[in-house]
Amino acid sequence: MFSGEISMCGIIGITSEQGTLIEPIGKIIEKCLRKLEYRGYDSVGFAYIDSSNGELIVRKAEGKIDQAARKLGFNDANGSIAIGHTRWATHGKPSDYNAHPHTDCKGLIAVVHNGIIQNYLELRRKLISRGHAFRSETDTEVIPHILEELISKGLKPIEAIKEAFRILRGTFAFAVIFAMEPNKIYFAKQTSPLVIGLGNRANYVASDIPAFLEYTNKVIVVRQGEFGYISPNEVYLESLDYGVINVKSRIRVIGWTPEMAMKSGYPHFMLKEIHEQPIAMERTLQGLTREELEEAVKLLLNANRIFIAACGTSFHAGLVADYALTTLAKLPTHSFISSEYLKYSNVFSERDVGIIISQSGETIDSLMALRKMKKAGAKVIAVSNVIDSAIPREADLAIYTRAGPEIGVAATKTFTTQIIALLKLACQAASDVGVDVGVIENDLNRLPKLTARIIRAHEAKCKILGEELIEAKSAFYLSRGIGVPLSMEGALKLKEIAYIHAEAYPAGESKHGPIALIENGFPVVFSVLLDDYKEHLIGNITEMNARGANTIGLIPRGEEQFMKILDKYIEMPHIHPMVAPALYVVPMQMIAYYAAVSRGYDPDKPRNLAKTVTVE
Ligand code: AGP
């Protein structure tokens, strides 16, 4: 139901008829927030209207619900209306003051928000110049202040929400309570998920169905560009494009278990996260500011040498970045797997710059490599998905991918968004030294749409290709140039979740040893990109064919010479080779996923592996 939407921050809102709740509203908010914990978060908070005096009260704190519970006092919050939030930091570190809800200057409007307000810096500057006092570093806080201004101009809350919707740019969903309207929760949605629950003398609004599934399974999924309010017995829904909506026609009764609902109906988090990639990519593209890139580029352009260190999938993203920094920006770049840092310990110097890539920001090997670099006086740029985690905290500068929490052990959306962030960095560096990167930047911006199209067009075929690997003992993933780290990532996916031995190497190496392993039916996956290596791959494919290999190709659309020689192929859109790894990896992720499922394994919890490796 939520295909393509991203997990990140949790919103819940409840409005009920006076005196009908059988426990304190704070307690109900706590229960609902616990159902959203799977989305990942670093702080928690809620706002309610005190039934004894009509006051709007906000309670919030850094930490998980269990750590923050005493401070938040869920059990003594009495009222009939409340909004709650679990925050996954994107702007501003995890802290009490950055936790949601955020309020206007007078404390009469409280807002919880999921997503990114892209134009918040400009809005914040203007609001401050008009006398608004900000208490947090978040993008969210512009919303209550904008609403405050609109209300003071005489707009009704629903008009103010509609007007704010026009002012805000980005991907977001938010819920608001106004002290002067003590039984309504207002909301708006632009891309980030939002769903309404219809209860008995109570209604709900949340980021995801599990939040209120204990109370109702009657839902309305709020769509792009819609806004409105809920009261205990009413739902008002309007679209910026289509006007007032007949809500009755939109009610659905869902038959999901809470576990199914957490995965938005997908059988596994990994598949959900593969499908979330278009929106995750969009968030990375929107979230990266020119300022943060420029600061990092300044370091890179002044560096004597650049060292990239990372582990696993993040290392593969690092190799893509290495290729781009070397060939595009012509910067001297060396990459190594973090746990091998000892080789370089005596080599790092204060004139070097390190790039440490880690989605979790907590991988111990990468942290140790970072510390070695820093000890030698090198400056370090961290590329991470988790704000204020150890690696970005200890680095001189952090670039965030903003892919949202990744629950499946196999990295998917964090890999493609790392590539985007790193290529943006490489493009900025290259353009600063006079290289025209217009085509690459253009293709980076096309990635979200192309990825959505690839998933739609090729998932069924990838399922068949994955299922055909059911008996495979081993596979090769081959390419050349920037296709090699892509192949390494494809092979890693197959190994870690389908438990099929897979090896990736530059295709030109086959004759130097590995081709000895080829026998009838041996799967070899070729990635053919639109680069100078393309023609060379023809010979590599035919040498595999001649020995009975089962050759499978990801090839540029319309390349008949490859269609003729491959056993099976998937046609990919034409895209710049530098950007191709972020797109070509998507079918590889799906092939590995379906191979794992057909072999009877749970791709979310591969044996022997942990999501974050915190021991050396
Ligand atoms: C890949 O699917 C794995 N989850 C693993 O290789 C991972 O990329 C590696 O452990 C590094 O993790 P990090 O990005 O959190 O540092």
Side-chain angles (χ1 to χ4, degrees), residues 465-477 490-503 522-523 591-592 594-596 598-599 601 607:
L465 291 172
E467 286 167 354
E468 284 174 357
L469 294 176
I470 190 164
E471 300 294 343
K473 298 266 177 298
S474 199
F476 283 165
Y477 281 69
L492 176 60
K493 290 287 91 86
L494 194 68
K495 270 188 274 217
E496 68 177 332
I497 58 168
Y499 315 149
I500 297 171
H501 169 256
E503 192 178 333
F522 190 108
I591 290 170
Y594 285 109
S598 70
R599 286 160 67 88
Y601 303 127
R607 66 187 180 207

Side-chain angles (χ1 to χ4, degrees), residues 409-420:
V409 166
T412 51
K413 61 179 180 172
T414 54
F415 175 65
T416 45
T417 52
Q418 280 169 345
I419 292 182
I420 292 177

Side-chain angles (χ1 to χ4, degrees), residues 207-491:
S207 302
D208 206 351
I209 295 166
F212 53 65
L213 197 57
E214 185 182 334
Y215 306 104
T216 181
N217 63 353
K218 269 165 80 180
V219 306
I220 297 170
V221 177
V222 183
R223 296 180 187 163
Q224 184 81 345
E226 291 181 349
F227 64 99
Y229 64 79
I230 52 169
S231 67
N233 298 301
E234 188 193 3
V235 175
Y236 176 82
L237 199 57
E238 193 176 326
S239 154
L240 284 180
D241 300 320
Y242 310 110
V244 180
I245 289 160
N246 170 6
V247 290
K248 282 219 175 84
S249 66
R250 294 269 296 273
I251 299 172
R252 300 279 175 275
V253 176
I254 58 146
W256 293 350
T257 62
E259 165 77 355
M260 281 159 75
M262 279 198 316
K263 295 174 187 156
S264 305
Y266 288 102
H268 298 102
F269 281 110
M270 182 181 173
L271 190 61
K272 177 171 178 265
E273 286 155 5
I274 289 173
H275 278 255
E276 280 174 350
Q277 287 181 108
I279 183 74
M281 291 171 168
E282 197 66 67
R283 293 178 69 105
T284 310
L285 287 164
Q286 286 187 13
L288 280 172
T289 64
R290 179 160 280 275
E291 293 79 22
E292 65 185 324
L293 288 176
E294 261 164 13
E295 230 185 303
V297 166
K298 216 186 292 164
L299 288 180
L300 295 179
L301 293 182
N302 289 319
N304 187 29
R305 292 167 303 186
I306 298 165
F307 288 100
I308 298 181
C311 305
T313 293
S314 295
F315 177 64
H316 302 151
L319 291 176
V320 172
D322 181 328
Y323 206 89
L325 287 168
T326 308
T327 60
L328 273 184
K330 302 182 183 58
L331 293 170
T333 311
H334 312 269
S335 302
F336 64 93
I337 288 177
S338 301
S339 52
E340 291 293 305
Y341 68 84
L342 281 180
K343 175 182 171 192
Y344 297 93
S345 342
N346 300 326
V347 171
F348 301 137
S349 84
E350 67 281 357
R351 288 175 301 139
D352 297 327
V353 170
I355 302 179
I356 305 280
I357 308 161
S358 170
Q359 86 80 22
S360 63
E362 301 287 348
T363 300
I364 191 73
D365 291 328
S366 297
L367 189 59
M368 299 310 283
L370 175 149
R371 287 182 179 157
K372 265 284 178 269
M373 291 176 183
K374 294 241 23 159
K375 200 161 170 220
K379 289 270 184 275
V380 174
I381 302 166
V383 176
S384 180
N385 192 37
V386 183
I387 287 214
D388 221 32
S389 49
I391 290 170
R393 238 186 0 246
E394 294 196 23
D396 296 280
L397 224 154
I399 289 178
Y400 290 108
T401 48
R402 301 182 171 96
E406 192 173 65
I407 295 168
V409 166
T412 51
K413 61 179 180 172
T414 54
F415 175 65
T416 45
T417 52
Q418 280 169 345
I419 292 182
I420 292 177
L422 289 159
L423 286 182
K424 290 284 280 182
L425 190 63
C427 282
Q428 182 78 36
S431 118
D432 282 9
V433 294
V435 179
D436 180 3
V437 289
V439 180
I440 302 176
E441 297 222 302
N442 194 37
D443 276 0
L444 277 172
N445 291 331
R446 288 168 64 220
L447 265 178
K449 278 211 174 82
L450 291 179
T451 303
R453 205 194 300 160
I454 287 296
I455 295 172
R456 255 195 327 270
H458 297 310
E459 185 166 0
K461 189 156 189 183
C462 291
K463 183 166 185 286
I464 295 170
L465 291 172
E467 286 167 354
E468 284 174 357
L469 294 176
I470 190 164
E471 300 294 343
K473 298 266 177 298
S474 199
F476 283 165
Y477 281 69
L478 306 185
S479 189
R480 287 172 178 243
I482 203 166
V484 176
L486 159 71
S487 299
M488 290 164 80
E489 178 58 11

Side-chain angles (χ1 to χ4, degrees), residues 159-179:
E159 295 165 342
I161 294 285
K162 187 173 185 175
E163 190 50 33
F165 208 158
R166 293 186 199 283
I167 295 170
L168 300 168
R169 282 206 314 273
T171 50
F172 54 80
F174 61 83
V176 189
I177 46 178
F178 295 87

